[in-house]
Amino acid sequence: MNRNGPVALLCHSLFVVFMLAPLIVVMWMSLTPSNLLSLPTTSFSLRWFKAILANPQFVSAFWMSIVLGVVAATCAMALAVPAALALARHNFAGREALVGLFLSPLIIPHVVLGVAFLRFFTQVNITGSTAGLLASHVLIIFPYGLRLVLAALTAADPAIERAAISLGASSWTVFRRVVFPLMIPGVAGGWVISFIQSFDEVTMTVFVATPSSMTLPVKMYHYIEESIDPLVASVSTVVILLTFLLMLLVDRIYGLDRMLVGKG
């Protein structure tokens, strides 16, 4: 078995430190008793975590992000599954162009998408509506779910489906008993990734969100413009810890490698 040499281990260690250092600094600053963003050196305090509960705007924005992420991810996966089936199992004219169209939100800057959505929603008179916010989130997270479902279908053996059809199974039975179970890792992974992308989205949401439909990242963005106290650091720490617990729970129940990579 090949082992990593000292240079590779050093590079890996530096990469891990580089990735974790910003998170550790933010979590450390959230424990400061000071009124300014600073690293605590002599004492620690939970005052800024208590301040979160005393700020109903942050609490409502958090639940708005949760509901929006769940609904948007579910809608995106409901669209990604039939789209992936059509692209993976059929060859037709314009297939590659359609793939490029579906994945185009990955390469378009979110600032451009935000301006375009704002202009479009103004034209159709749904500016500031929850439906418009949901539709914009579904569009930008749809490619993530589609790619993972396509990967799961590509890895599946089409001979299994043909065998089921040759044994007399109907199209619906083949999908329900054969195809969809093979897609579950991609669907589950796509849903989680889509939810995270929707929950974290701020650049595009700034243009289409309103005070009544403000998500947590947008609320944090506006709060930083007005104040420099550590409340934002405490909110970020809560989000980091909840994300870690969610991924740990998913790993224990289902397995991240199976969900994201498709291992059996």
Side-chain angles (χ1 to χ4, degrees):
M1 181 177 64
N2 296 328
R3 296 185 178 181
N4 292 325
V7 176
L9 291 176
L10 177 61
C11 292
H12 293 165
S13 300
L14 291 176
F15 176 78
V16 172
V17 171
F18 177 78
M19 295 294 294
L20 295 181
L23 302 181
I24 295 174
V25 170
V26 170
M27 296 174 70
W28 192 3
M29 285 194 298
S30 68
L31 298 173
T32 182
S34 173
N35 291 326
L36 300 176
L37 282 169
S38 60
L39 296 176
T41 56
T42 58
S43 62
F44 298 92
S45 174
L46 297 177
R47 61 173 292 197
W48 295 110
F49 290 94
K50 298 177 182 178
I52 298 176
L53 299 178
N55 193 318
Q57 294 181 346
F58 272 103
V59 176
S60 61
F62 171 79
W63 287 114
M64 180 65 187
S65 292
I66 291 291
V67 173
L68 178 63
V70 169
V71 177
T74 303
C75 293
M77 295 313 301
L79 297 173
V81 169
L85 284 171
L87 295 173
R89 293 293 186 261
H90 302 281
N91 289 319
F92 51 88
R95 177 180 177 275
E96 298 301 324
L98 197 59
V99 172
L101 176 64
F102 286 159
L103 300 182
S104 60
L106 294 175
I107 61 175
I108 301 176
H110 285 195
V111 173
V112 177
L113 287 174
V115 174
F117 281 132
L118 179 61
R119 178 65 177 173
F120 174 72
F121 293 156
T122 302
Q123 293 292 325
V124 298
N125 199 27
I126 59 172
T127 304
S129 66
T130 304
L133 180 62
L134 174 62
S136 60
H137 272 241
V138 171
L139 187 144
I140 64 172
I141 67 177
F142 172 75
Y144 297 95
L146 178 64
R147 291 183 67 178
L148 288 180
V149 177
L150 276 175
L153 285 173
T154 302
D157 187 359
I160 301 177
E161 302 174 40
R162 292 194 293 268
I165 295 175
S166 66
L167 293 174
S170 64
S171 299
W172 169 245
T173 301
V174 172
F175 173 77
R176 181 171 56 90
R177 302 292 296 273
V178 178
V179 178
F180 189 73
L182 296 174
M183 295 169 55
I184 287 179
V187 173
W191 192 94
V192 171
I193 297 299
S194 299
F195 172 79
I196 293 174
Q197 290 295 327
S198 175
F199 188 93
D200 291 340
E201 171 57 37
V202 59
T203 306
M204 180 274 299
T205 311
V206 167
F207 291 91
V208 296
T210 62
S212 61
S213 61
M214 187 173 295
T215 61
L216 183 60
V218 175
K219 176 60 182 176
M220 295 171 65
Y221 175 79
H222 289 308
Y223 189 84
I224 293 174
E225 293 179 332
E226 304 170 355
S227 177
I228 57 173
D229 62 47
L231 181 60
V232 172
S234 63
V235 174
S236 300
T237 299
V238 171
V239 173
I240 292 171
L241 294 177
L242 288 177
T243 303
F244 173 78
L245 292 176
L246 174 63
M247 300 307 291
L248 181 63
L249 179 64
V250 171
D251 183 55
R252 293 293 183 182
I253 296 176
Y254 196 74
L256 288 177
D257 56 344
R258 183 184 176 192
M259 184 181 70
L260 298 178
V261 184
K263 294 181 180 180

